Amino acid sequence: MKQQAFVFTYDGLVRVLHTKVAVFPPLTFDEMKNKKINLNYLAIWDTGATNSAITKKVVDELGLKATGVREVRHADGKSVSNTYLVNILLPGGLMVGNVRVTEVKLIPDDNTKDEWQPQVLIGMDIIGIGDFAVTNSDGKTTMSFRTPSITKINFVPEAKENNILEGGNRDQRRKFEAMKRSGKI
């Protein structure tokens, strides 16, 4: 299976992960080839959200028709919202088709102009189809996503190795190196 991936590094440490995405009605591959698609919506990536969502602005701009309703649980309790079927084009040309999204009102950032407010929320329905990692090295946040998922990400072995090699006694380091050479680690 073909792998697709993207990486995005922010200018500093961030508390909200966001990228640009394109949202459009479900199209066939042939219909898509004839359309020019711009990454024109700001999306927040939220591992705490079960499903992806769009705002009324996206619904209105795309002329979407509701396909149903869904109960949505949020900070104010729960409500019933319209659902829509869309395609979402992620950075790096990564297409996620036929996503059932819910119409929501995202909390605006008072320090951000209206045209730069997020209009899409990427939830675990999309994040869960691949591997998702966030690092905060060298004073910069980096987010990376790939699909399909191909391996487990496990920071524990590297942390243990670092702790033994940097802070362990000579005997611990020798045992560790011997286990590594023999392929036990």
Side-chain angles (χ1 to χ4, degrees):
M1 178 176 265
K2 182 180 175 185
Q3 293 181 33
Q4 292 182 286
F6 74 87
V7 64
F8 191 86
T9 300
Y10 301 86
D11 289 333
L13 297 175
V14 298
R15 293 176 49 167
V16 177
L17 302 171
H18 54 80
T19 62
K20 295 262 181 132
V21 300
V23 179
F24 46 96
L27 302 171
T28 67
F29 187 71
D30 289 335
E31 291 171 327
M32 259 183 43
K33 285 195 289 190
N34 298 327
K35 289 202 177 261
K36 183 178 179 189
I37 299 168
N38 296 315
L39 296 179
N40 52 3
Y41 291 111
L42 184 64
I44 294 173
W45 291 68
D46 185 352
T47 60
T50 305
N51 297 297
S52 296
I54 58 176
T55 62
K56 181 157 179 40
K57 177 181 177 180
V58 176
V59 171
D60 292 345
E61 286 181 2
L62 298 177
L64 297 174
K65 304 292 181 217
T67 57
V69 294
R70 173 185 281 160
E71 183 178 86
V72 179
R73 296 174 188 270
H74 44 76
D76 287 335
K78 58 184 172 178
S79 59
V80 175
S81 296
N82 286 334
T83 60
Y84 303 87
L85 198 59
V86 298
N87 289 348
I88 299 178
L89 181 64
L90 303 174
L94 210 150
M95 173 66 69
V96 184
N98 296 316
V99 180
R100 183 177 172 217
V101 295
T102 306
E103 182 180 331
V104 297
K105 182 176 180 176
L106 297 177
I107 299 169
D109 179 352
D110 294 335
N111 299 320
T112 305
K113 294 179 184 178
D114 283 346
E115 63 268 17
W116 292 103
Q117 294 289 340
Q119 300 299 325
V120 178
L121 186 140
I122 303 296
M124 287 303 294
D125 57 335
I126 292 177
I127 296 171
I129 66 171
D131 294 326
F132 180 70
V134 178
T135 58
N136 293 290
S137 180
D138 300 323
K140 293 184 178 187
T141 299
T142 298
M143 174 180 75
S144 188
F145 180 74
R146 74 172 165 213
T147 185
S149 179
I150 58 171
T151 189
K152 293 179 184 175
I153 298 172
N154 181 352
F155 298 118
V156 173
E158 186 177 342
K160 283 182 178 181
E161 178 178 0
N162 177 72
N163 292 343
I164 289 171
L165 296 178
E166 296 293 322
N169 62 40
R170 186 177 1 180
D171 188 46
Q172 287 174 318
R173 288 192 297 273
R174 285 182 182 160
K175 284 180 183 175
F176 181 82
E177 291 296 338
M179 287 177 69
K180 198 170 181 182
R181 278 191 303 276
S182 70
K184 294 180 181 175
I185 295 180

